[in-house]
Amino acid sequence: MQTDINTIDPAEVAKFEAMAAEWWDPTGKFKPLHMMNPVRLDYITRQIAAEFDRDLSSKTPFVGLRILDIGCGGGLLCEPMARLGATVVGVDAAAGNLPVARIHAEQSGLEIDYRHGTAEGMAADGESFDVVLNMEVVEHVADPQAYLTACHDLLKPGGLHLCSTINRNPKSFAMAIVGAEWVMRWLPKGTHDWQKFITPDELYGLIRKAGMEPVDRKGYVFNPVSWQWKISDRDLSVNYVTAALRPA
């Protein structure tokens, strides 16, 4: 396995470090993630429960599972996973995010292992996990194929990889860039680069080439009337999520 690959894009890291203090402000720069988070969590928890035969009606269904959240930011996904009983590691290339994440976890009474680093660095160290969460990160890295290969290497055989990103088409440009950045100003201009967006078929191809087998994909659809997100089986035109397994 190659260990000298660095998929980090310094300009992308700098964007998120500049917004670090606002991670837990539901009306701040990360408002879109706060709005989407219930839908993301519903998909994530259902996939994990189905794959590892866990009962979501129990208090801590993920006890015994080791979960990695790559690009963890302020911990918006790490904390719910920890509350569900999992042993959670959050890693982020933007060092400025981690003090925010650590303080919030401590205030919430949660033990989460937050680290400054990269997926490929952790893979080189021999880390392994039952689940790798890779949410809204792949469109920000310099080399998606190398990055997804590192995600594969971080999974135990039979492990579950969950990856969400943004489709690349005229609608995604209108919604994710013009709408979210220019009109609604949910995100600072320049947060996303449309040319780095990845179509679902392209992502499936990258995942397979990385050594994983895709098993599911769904769309996240925003309804401007109800002002809510929902999961769609068919509409993957803008935001979408995939599930894949490392063969046992």
Side-chain angles (χ1 to χ4, degrees):
M1 181 186 71
Q2 288 181 296
T3 60
D4 58 345
I5 295 173
N6 183 358
T7 64
I8 297 302
D9 185 331
E12 294 292 320
V13 172
K15 290 178 189 176
F16 289 94
E17 281 200 312
M19 299 185 282
E22 298 197 46
W23 272 105
W24 288 95
D25 179 0
T27 62
K29 292 185 174 70
F30 294 101
K31 181 178 180 178
L33 279 183
H34 283 276
M35 293 171 64
M36 186 189 288
N37 221 33
V39 175
R40 292 199 306 169
L41 284 169
D42 181 61
Y43 184 83
I44 290 168
T45 55
R46 288 174 183 271
Q47 288 292 323
I48 295 173
E51 188 57 38
F52 295 95
D53 193 24
R54 301 301 176 97
D55 181 3
L56 287 176
S57 67
S58 65
K59 187 176 180 180
T60 53
F62 295 167
V63 166
L65 295 178
R66 191 166 190 244
I67 297 178
L68 172 65
D69 183 15
I70 304 174
C72 62
L76 298 187
L77 291 176
C78 289
E79 292 199 8
M81 295 299 105
R83 287 193 182 94
L84 291 171
T87 299
V88 181
V89 177
V91 64
D92 205 300
N97 289 330
L98 300 176
V100 178
R102 291 185 182 119
I103 290 169
H104 199 275
E106 184 177 346
Q107 291 173 340
S108 303
L110 298 170
E111 290 188 16
I112 298 170
D113 182 0
Y114 285 116
R115 307 181 191 179
H116 177 224
T118 65
E120 45 276 359
M122 294 189 71
D125 290 339
E127 296 275 2
S128 63
F129 299 87
D130 298 289
V131 181
V132 169
L133 303 181
N134 172 14
M135 316 302 282
E136 289 84 47
V137 177
V138 69
E139 72 269 22
H140 296 289
V141 302
D143 186 340
Q145 187 64 74
Y147 170 67
L148 288 167
T149 299
C151 292
H152 162 275
D153 295 342
L154 286 162
L155 282 172
K156 298 175 183 178
L160 175 66
H161 174 253
L162 298 171
C163 178
S164 64
T165 189
I166 306 175
N167 203 340
R168 188 182 69 257
N169 54 40
K171 182 177 179 180
S172 70
F173 183 86
M175 299 286 286
I177 295 180
V178 176
E181 295 184 16
W182 300 358
V183 178
M184 302 305 297
R185 297 186 181 179
W186 282 341
L187 294 167
K189 287 184 179 180
T191 297
H192 290 110
D193 179 349
W194 182 81
Q195 294 183 351
K196 285 189 169 187
F197 290 175
I198 301 171
T199 71
D201 288 345
E202 287 171 348
L203 184 58
Y204 261 23
L206 292 167
I207 288 170
R208 287 193 177 100
K209 191 173 180 181
M212 297 177 280
E213 184 56 41
V215 293
D216 188 60
R217 61 187 183 187
K218 296 283 191 295
Y220 294 147
V221 180
F222 181 67
N223 185 326
V225 177
S226 65
W227 210 247
Q228 291 181 323
W229 290 87
K230 67 175 183 178
I231 290 179
S232 171
D233 290 334
R234 294 177 295 177
D235 187 353
L236 283 69
S237 58
V238 184
N239 298 84
Y240 67 97
V241 62
T242 64
L245 297 174
R246 174 171 177 168

